Amino acid sequence: MATPGDGLRLDGLHHITMISGDARMTVDFYADVLGLRLVKKTVNFDDPSAYHLYFGDEIGSPGSILTWFDFAGVGRGRAGAGMIHRIQFGVADDDSLDFWAARLRVKGYASTRRDGSLLFEDFEGLSLELVLADPRNRSLRAAHPEVPAEYAILGVEGARAYTNRAWEEAGLLTQTLGFTHLGRGEYALAGDDRQFRWAHDPPPVLRGRQGAGTVHHIAWATPDADQLAWQQRISETGLYVTDVRDRDYFRSIYFREPRGILLEIATHAPGFAVDEDPDHLGEELRVPEMYAHLRRQLLATLTPLVNPRIAQREQTAGS
């Protein structure tokens, strides 16, 4: 594994954030069809009229987290140069791929089986892929009554981005951030208990357009104590890096790498249980302190969402 000269080391993936135009369908697809847990229902720090929804394993572990900025009714986007175009989830084996092909078909989603993987799209056209999980990766499962534990998604395994000069080594990744270059646009980032695969692909002819079904940014995890050192290290490369921003459940810095992809480095702490009982994550709207005075208004104007855990609990209690 490559490591920066000053010993700083990223701890794998923290989360990936997308854009959606339909919060209800986002919850339905990711928390029901794919069986992830909705671990936080809050609002966008820059636009409190928009949801910010978080999905992951049972506790929202870094490496399992997918988040969405929901801008109701926003038009479809299109991945292009400088954008992530595919997210890969890990599963245990080929039997798991068979299970998911059948489940997706029943739920109305087509898929394409390849050797060791299953390709499909979400309801807004975001490209997703189930791949065989790296055996070194700690499993990050969520529980769902219709998904046997042995077939459950085990965390986010990798992502692919469109970039110009895709097969040239990206120095920021290897020399600054500590990725290992595997050749032909492929990279690996090793954390303490999770590996992450990252890849560059040549872009399509059409220019990208941010909108529903596209990725906004990707975040790498850092030990809390190292974040300021990362901020300094990135600044020393000549890139603009933001100040540290408190996101309630982690702290973040942001910068755009030379090929256009927006990157974030996020801390592990304080985590998603800082303002909710771990058994009831994502069940109530949580509002950042800066917008606390808008809570009643937000409850009246945001699209009502039902956490599938509540529906499942009520169904069990009534049976």
Side-chain angles (χ1 to χ4, degrees):
M1 181 192 72
T3 54
D6 54 11
L8 288 175
R9 181 170 175 263
L10 294 173
D11 194 19
L13 177 75
H14 191 280
H15 68 269
I16 306 176
T17 293
M18 276 64 66
I19 296 172
S20 173
D22 189 326
R24 284 178 174 165
M25 283 295 294
T26 300
V27 172
D28 179 74
F29 186 82
Y30 289 93
D32 185 27
V33 176
L34 294 191
L36 304 180
R37 185 176 188 184
L38 174 59
V39 295
K40 195 62 59 178
K41 182 169 61 175
T42 183
V43 296
N44 191 310
F45 273 90
D46 299 318
D47 180 1
S49 68
Y51 275 121
H52 193 177
L53 305 174
Y54 294 76
F55 302 80
D57 69 353
E58 285 300 296
I59 60 173
S61 303
S64 75
I65 305 168
L66 300 176
T67 96
W68 270 264
F69 297 144
D70 178 74
F71 300 106
V74 70
R76 287 279 186 101
R78 180 178 59 230
M83 299 172 71
I84 294 169
H85 69 88
R86 180 175 298 161
I87 298 171
Q88 298 168 316
F89 301 103
V91 294
D93 51 29
D94 284 332
D95 288 344
S96 301
L97 297 176
D98 292 338
F99 168 84
W100 284 106
R103 180 169 174 79
L104 287 165
R105 183 170 59 251
V106 167
K107 296 291 186 178
Y109 293 92
S111 64
T112 301
R113 183 70 181 269
R114 293 182 177 177
D115 185 21
S117 78
L118 185 72
L119 281 168
F120 58 103
E121 293 181 350
D122 77 358
F123 66 98
E124 291 178 313
L126 177 64
S127 178
L128 304 172
E129 184 177 15
L130 298 177
V131 300
L132 302 184
D134 189 314
R136 297 170 293 177
N137 284 351
R138 178 170 63 92
S139 296
L140 303 177
R141 281 187 185 85
H144 188 285
E146 296 176 358
V147 180
E150 63 268 28
Y151 299 145
I153 287 171
L154 304 177
V156 185
E157 199 79 8
R160 305 188 71 92
Y162 288 135
T163 71
N164 295 310
R165 309 184 313 282
W167 291 345
E168 294 179 18
E169 180 178 340
L172 177 79
L173 294 179
T174 56
Q175 298 168 29
T176 303
L177 299 181
F179 285 68
T180 298
H181 185 216
L182 306 176
R184 295 183 67 81
E186 303 273 347
Y187 300 82
L189 178 63
D192 286 342
D193 56 12
R194 296 279 303 177
Q195 320 293 312
F196 190 79
R197 295 294 292 262
W198 176 249
H200 288 166
D201 295 313
V205 174
L206 294 176
R207 294 184 62 179
R209 180 179 66 244
Q210 202 162 74
T214 64
V215 176
H216 187 270
H217 66 270
I218 188 167
W220 314 113
T222 182
D224 300 16
D226 290 348
Q227 190 172 58
L228 291 178
W230 277 114
Q231 184 187 48
Q232 179 178 347
R233 181 171 181 81
I234 294 160
S235 180
E236 287 171 353
T237 69
L239 294 175
Y240 170 76
V241 58
T242 67
D243 55 352
V244 176
R245 298 181 181 178
D246 185 349
R247 298 312 194 194
D248 284 355
Y249 312 110
F250 45 87
R251 290 169 177 79
S252 300
I253 56 175
Y254 301 85
F255 57 102
R256 197 172 294 276
E257 56 90 41
R259 301 187 193 198
I261 301 165
L262 182 61
L263 306 180
E264 174 183 353
I265 296 179
T267 61
H268 287 284
F272 292 101
V274 68
D275 61 357
E276 283 186 299
D277 184 317
D279 290 335
H280 297 279
L281 294 177
E283 295 186 7
E284 293 186 7
L285 179 68
R286 315 307 297 185
V287 179
E289 184 177 352
M290 63 193 291
Y291 297 128
H293 63 290
L294 298 177
R295 181 178 179 81
R296 182 175 298 179
Q297 175 184 334
L298 293 173
L299 286 169
T301 57
L302 287 168
T303 301
L305 299 177
V306 176
N307 188 317
R309 292 294 177 99
I310 298 176
Q312 293 160 11
R313 192 163 58 236
E314 291 176 348
Q315 184 177 9
T316 301
S319 60

